[in-house]
Amino acid sequence: MSQPVQSQAVPMTPDANATTADSSAAMPPLSPWPVKVRWFEFKHPVSALSKVWLGVAAWLVFLLGWHYAATSGDANPLFPSPLAVLDALWTLFAERGFASDVLASLKRILISFFLACSIAIPLGILMGAFPRVESAFGPLVSAFRYLPAPAFIPLLLMWLGTGDTQKIALLMLGVIWFLITLVCDNVKQTPVDFIETAKTLGGSRRKILWTVVVPASLPNIVITCRQMLAVSWTYLVIAEIVAATDGIGAMIMRARRFVNVDDIMAGILVIGILGLVCDLLFRGLYWLMFPYLRRR
Amino acid sequence: MSVAEQLDMSSLLVDRVGKTFSARRSSVVAVESVSFTVPPREVCILLGPSGCGKSTVLRMIAGLEIPTSGRITLSGRPVLGPARERGMVFQGYTSFPWLTVRQNVAYGLKLNGDFGALREGTVDHFLESVGLTRFANAWPHELSGGMRQRVALARALAATPELLLMDEPFGALDAETRWQMQELLLKVIRKERMTVVMVTHDVEEALLLGDQIVFLSSHPGRVRTIINPPFKTDSAIRTREDLRAHPRYAEMERDILQMMREEGKH
Ligand SMILES: Nc1ncnc2c1ncn2[C@@H]1O[C@H](COP(=O)(O)OP(=O)(O)OP(=O)(O)O)[C@@H](O)[C@H]1O
Ligand SMILES: [Mg+2]
């Protein structure tokens, strides 16, 4: 359509097709051949309702299986049923002040992750955008990525004491190197054509960084953050095993001493639920931030 | 043409330009001593077989590649790097997916803080020229390939460059859409009286749009001939059919195809 599109109410159809289209409109609607839609189909879209339904179904199967396994034989205190775990969870919150443990853990995770992001995202963006910066920091960051964060616990204890600072530092060490590397890779995905287009439109390097490189890589950076926050949760128990008096991990370690398996499982359950909530929040954030990626 | 005339306002001068790409051991001479002039308001087409260095020449004019020999000037000013005065449309889809069509077209003006032009409706004017007014608030991914190239064209034009550069802008489109885009471009170029350098290997496109066709030979790229087709300035020619019906068209097309075939053999 070389003519401006707005001048035509209806899209142009070639003349030959126009006549057949008219004659078929006069006939009754024709139902299509029955085509079998397979349950396992690549890239088949799933409705929102089926998504919920399928997700809940898998959970139910898991819980019922667990319940059956735990209650079928003799009652085993080392393998409580889901109901016993729920019961333990209730007692923890109602009678033993577990809420303050959860809050302590949540605070550590959020502060450490915020600090990790506020260093890793700017550094990752600079590394991904400018090869010289990457050459300088890349080898350093890669080396640190291979060092296991828990190995730093003794050092952190000596340097930072036994308080929150030490736990936050450990959680940071656990994710920051991966965050830097992944953000750098996200930024490197920016198409060269985008950058060159902005150059030929007269953009300075600073402006191109802010108006092309950052918006082009931001969706993937948010996904990276979502995934690394999940990793952060997996470090929580390690961070709270040593020299901790509060937090979900500390509760789990106390319960282990008294072989309260149901309390341990309740702690694990809470971590799982909080992780899931964080994930959903990030998905919501993604949906709000990137309206142009909503359905594709 | 005298030197004084060549340095005329807004004319492009490509003077004995060469480019050698050097990798670790080997080096490729992509272009060697290419010279041509594009007077103001004329369309220059770079034509030639694949790999002859058309994109390289265009990218050097854009300032995205630095020549290893020779000089390029626009209106007497040396080309030292990319700038707003030389806008470019690429072959691939380069509309920014995070901006709507209107925001994409306004991007160049915002980038330069040209709020005067934004207020005066420059963006609407160029949306109108490329026929996208109705889609101003759509996201690029909702558009067809041809429409996305129109966004890229409008975005380049809205920044009001002295010289418009295009590297096979319709190369990724199907034949039907490509003709439509060529006719649209012809209309826009005539209306806006743009100075253009455009790369293509579509002979018909070259003849329809060009005041001047610089034919490059391959390995290394050199200017083989310069052809001056009469069709762009002929206001009777508006569509592909008008072009093909012109008495001189068949002969010119045959000659160029003949050259293409000869170059292809080397
Ligand atoms: N960045 C580069 N590094 C090394 N060699 C290059 C580079 N860019 C181009 N070349 C070489 O320069 C020559 C010309 O390339 P160019 O892309 O300019 O050709 P072209 O005429 O645009 O081809 P096409 O019609 O296929 O787009 C080719 O031999 C190519 O291999
Ligand atoms: Mg090319």
Side-chain angles (χ1 to χ4, degrees):
Chain A
M1 273 162 264
S2 69
Q3 298 303 311
V5 179
Q6 74 273 18
S7 64
Q8 263 128 3
V10 191
M12 273 194 288
T13 35
D15 285 346
N17 287 355
T19 47
T20 53
D22 280 345
S23 60
S24 70
M27 291 203 282
L30 188 59
S31 57
W33 298 111
V35 176
K36 191 165 179 212
V37 178
R38 293 175 192 281
W39 207 83
F40 289 106
E41 187 51 81
F42 298 109
K43 305 260 178 191
H44 190 73
V46 183
S47 73
L49 188 67
S50 323
K51 259 188 200 156
V52 172
W53 189 88
L54 288 168
V56 168
W59 266 104
L60 275 182
V61 169
F62 168 69
L63 289 173
L64 284 176
W66 175 9
H67 183 77
Y68 177 77
T71 54
S72 59
D74 299 329
N76 180 351
L78 291 184
F79 190 40
S81 74
L83 290 175
V85 171
L86 270 188
D87 194 44
L89 191 60
W90 172 253
T91 324
L92 277 173
F93 273 115
E95 293 165 21
R96 290 163 49 195
F98 188 45
S100 69
D101 282 317
V102 173
L103 281 181
S105 293
L106 202 58
K107 190 183 84 188
R108 286 170 190 150
I109 289 274
L110 292 181
I111 293 178
S112 69
F113 195 70
F114 176 78
L115 290 176
C117 284
S118 54
I119 296 170
I121 293 177
L123 184 59
I125 289 177
L126 288 177
M127 283 169 65
F130 305 111
R132 287 243 165 83
V133 181
E134 197 199 358
S135 306
F137 289 97
L140 192 70
V141 171
S142 300
F144 271 101
R145 215 156 36 118
Y146 286 98
L147 301 179
F152 284 89
I153 291 180
L155 287 178
L156 293 175
L157 280 172
M158 285 186 277
W159 290 338
L160 302 171
T162 58
D164 264 358
T165 323
Q166 175 258 336
K167 284 155 195 80
I168 289 169
L170 181 75
L171 288 173
M172 259 182 80
L173 279 182
V175 294
I176 193 164
W177 315 111
F178 284 96
L179 258 178
I180 295 172
T181 320
L182 289 171
V183 170
C184 172
D185 284 345
N186 294 151
V187 172
K188 278 203 257 174
Q189 302 295 319
T190 311
V192 182
D193 280 359
F194 284 9
I195 295 172
E196 291 189 336
T197 299
K199 280 186 181 171
T200 59
L201 289 167
S204 63
R205 280 163 308 151
R206 176 193 294 270
K207 286 230 170 99
I208 292 175
L209 186 69
W210 281 108
T211 63
V212 178
V213 176
V214 170
S217 45
L218 206 53
N220 285 332
I221 293 178
V222 171
I223 290 177
T224 294
C225 288
R226 194 184 104 205
Q227 281 159 353
M228 289 317 292
L229 184 60
V231 174
S232 211
W233 279 103
T234 67
Y235 276 106
L236 180 71
V237 178
I238 297 171
E240 291 178 344
I241 279 176
V242 184
T245 49
D246 60 352
I248 302 174
M251 187 284 288
I252 290 179
M253 290 317 289
R254 273 200 306 275
R256 191 192 67 111
R257 221 172 300 146
F258 303 107
V259 205
N260 289 336
V261 178
D262 46 359
D263 285 354
I264 296 178
M265 285 189 164
I268 294 172
L269 187 68
V270 168
I271 292 178
I273 291 171
L274 288 176
L276 197 66
V277 170
C278 286
D279 209 75
L280 286 176
L281 287 177
F282 258 110
R283 278 171 199 270
L285 184 71
Y286 188 88
W287 193 83
L288 282 178
M289 281 176 81
F290 311 114
Y292 58 95
L293 294 174
R294 272 180 201 172
R295 54 196 166 76
R296 222 194 292 190
Chain B
M1 192 180 274
S2 73
V3 176
E5 270 175 312
Q6 283 184 347
L7 294 178
D8 185 10
M9 188 201 85
S10 87
S11 75
L12 174 75
L13 197 66
V14 176
D15 190 8
R16 286 160 285 168
V17 163
K19 176 79 188 176
T20 307
F21 289 103
S22 28
R24 261 157 284 161
R25 295 240 184 98
S26 62
S27 60
V28 185
V29 182
V31 186
E32 201 175 67
S33 194
V34 165
S35 304
F36 58 91
T37 319
V38 187
R41 313 200 196 305
E42 284 206 357
V43 177
C44 169
I45 306 277
L46 297 177
L47 190 67
S50 185
C52 71
K54 305 182 291 291
S55 298
T56 307
V57 171
L58 197 75
R59 289 173 59 80
M60 288 192 287
I61 298 171
L64 294 169
E65 214 83 71
I66 301 163
T68 35
S69 63
R71 287 176 172 185
I72 302 172
T73 53
L74 180 63
S75 319
R77 283 167 279 125
V79 169
L80 300 172
R84 181 185 173 184
E85 61 182 21
R86 283 163 281 119
M88 177 123 164
V89 177
F90 293 80
Q91 177 175 2
Y93 301 138
T94 53
S95 23
F96 301 136
W98 59 90
L99 299 178
T100 63
V101 169
R102 178 190 299 282
Q103 288 166 338
N104 261 289
V105 175
Y107 176 82
L109 294 174
K110 288 230 180 85
L111 196 64
N112 292 286
D114 197 341
F115 297 103
L118 284 170
R119 268 193 305 276
E120 283 158 20
T122 309
V123 172
D124 287 315
H125 170 77
F126 285 105
L127 277 173
E128 167 88 54
S129 309
V130 300
L132 283 176
T133 309
R134 229 158 50 103
F135 295 90
N137 295 317
W139 297 112
H141 76 88
E142 295 168 325
L143 305 181
S144 68
M147 287 156 113
R148 285 193 218 184
Q149 282 312 68
R150 285 190 261 164
V151 175
L153 179 62
R155 178 176 57 187
L157 290 171
T160 54
E162 241 172 87
L163 178 66
L164 179 66
L165 305 168
M166 291 188 276
D167 193 351
E168 302 194 42
F170 314 136
L173 306 179
D174 60 276
E176 170 70 20
T177 315
R178 192 183 316 182
W179 300 328
Q180 290 167 352
M181 289 294 295
Q182 287 162 1
E183 287 164 15
L184 173 87
L185 186 62
L186 182 65
K187 213 173 72 185
V188 173
I189 288 174
R190 280 176 177 162
K191 182 159 151 246
E192 308 289 339
R193 296 165 56 78
M194 292 294 306
T195 315
V196 180
V197 180
M198 179 170 168
V199 168
T200 183
H201 47 225
D202 179 335
V203 176
E204 202 175 72
E205 186 169 296
L207 287 171
L208 178 67
L209 299 171
D211 292 298
Q212 174 185 204
I213 298 177
V214 175
F215 193 95
L216 298 179
S217 62
S218 48
H219 300 304
R222 287 205 192 88
V223 179
R224 179 170 158 160
T225 42
I226 293 183
I227 304 156
N228 294 93
F231 311 112
K232 184 207 141 198
T233 40
D234 185 343
S235 56
I237 295 179
R238 285 203 200 82
T239 64
R240 180 170 175 259
E241 287 73 26
D242 298 341
L243 176 70
R244 304 204 73 123
H246 195 280
R248 289 193 54 199
Y249 175 77
E251 171 206 355
M252 293 192 88
E253 186 190 36
R254 197 188 53 229
D255 290 349
I256 294 174
L257 286 175
Q258 173 70 25
M259 279 195 286
M260 291 277 244
R261 209 162 295 128
E262 281 167 24
E263 289 298 334
K265 278 192 197 124
H266 296 314

